[in-house]
Structures are given as C-alpha cells and as structure tokens.
Amino acid sequence: MMNCTLKPMARVVAGCVATLALAACGNNHTGSEGYTQPVFGATTYTQLKVDGYTFKDMNRNGKIDPYEDWRLPAEARADDLLSRMSLDEKAGLMMHGTAPNRGRPHRHRPGRRV
C-alpha cells in the first residue's frame, strides 16, 4: 500500500479530478452525446439527413454505410470500406500517383526535365 500524506478529503478530490481528466480523453460515443457536424462545402454527392446530422451518400444507395458515417472511429470506417473493395481497387490505391502518365514523364526519372 502507498504511503500517502494527503488528507482523506484531498485524496477524494484528487481522485475525482483524475477520473474527469481521463474521461475527457476517451472517444466512447454512445449516440446520446453530441457530435460536431463536419462542414462538407461544395459536393456532388447526395446528402442524407439522419438524427439531425448530414452525411454524404458516396455510393448513392440512399442509406448511410459504415464508411460514410463520420461519427464512427476511422479504423471502423476504413475496415468497412476495405471489405467492399476488390483486390484490383486496393492495388490501384497503392499505385495512385506513382505511375507515369502518357504524354507526361514520371517526375522522378533521372535525366528528364519536367
């Protein structure tokens, strides 16, 4: 057991402060808490309203899929999106921006002017 020189009431107050500080660090949204609506700006996607919040319907199916729900953690959204993608689509994302285009040389080719 720790040798604590604080008075019992001071320990209770310190424990409450520590608990509140740790609770503020969490990201446990249960649905009853308020979320900060992101600003989408100009978009060509249909916007859906659910529970007073706006979401982009990126696959235009008329419902919010987990990867479209910005209230979910990023890892859950990424897992859902990856589960919907084909192997070719995943490989294409890995190559995006690295392959040379026709008529325009790759930026990192030695001896070529861009």
Side-chain angles (χ1 to χ4, degrees):
M1 190 173 237
M2 285 182 18
N3 184 8
C4 188
T5 59
L6 292 176
K7 294 182 180 181
M9 190 58 165
R11 278 190 276 173
V12 170
V13 170
C16 289
V17 169
T19 302
L20 287 173
L22 289 174
C25 296
N27 189 17
N28 298 327
H29 293 292
T30 61
S32 62
E33 301 173 22
Y35 295 95
T36 302
Q37 171 72 55
V39 178
F40 294 133
T43 180
T44 59
Y45 295 112
T46 302
Q47 294 186 1
L48 303 173
K49 298 264 187 195
V50 175
D51 298 331
Y53 297 108
T54 304
F55 302 86
K56 290 181 187 178
D57 187 15
M58 292 183 266
N59 61 356
R60 294 175 169 83
N61 67 352
K63 64 178 188 166
I64 299 172
D65 295 304
Y67 76 92
E68 298 168 326
D69 190 346
W70 48 261
R71 299 172 297 180
L72 297 176
E75 186 174 347
R77 295 177 67 197
D79 287 345
D80 178 66
L81 183 57
L82 285 172
S83 72
R84 298 167 186 269
M85 295 173 68
S86 69
L87 184 58
D88 288 342
E89 290 170 326
K90 293 173 188 175
L93 284 175
M94 293 171 59
M95 294 300 296
H96 181 72
T98 61
N101 294 336
R102 273 189 237 148
R104 187 168 178 188
H106 193 276
R107 284 184 268 166
H108 301 293
R109 271 193 200 161
R112 284 242 163 137
R113 294 172 75 188
V114 178

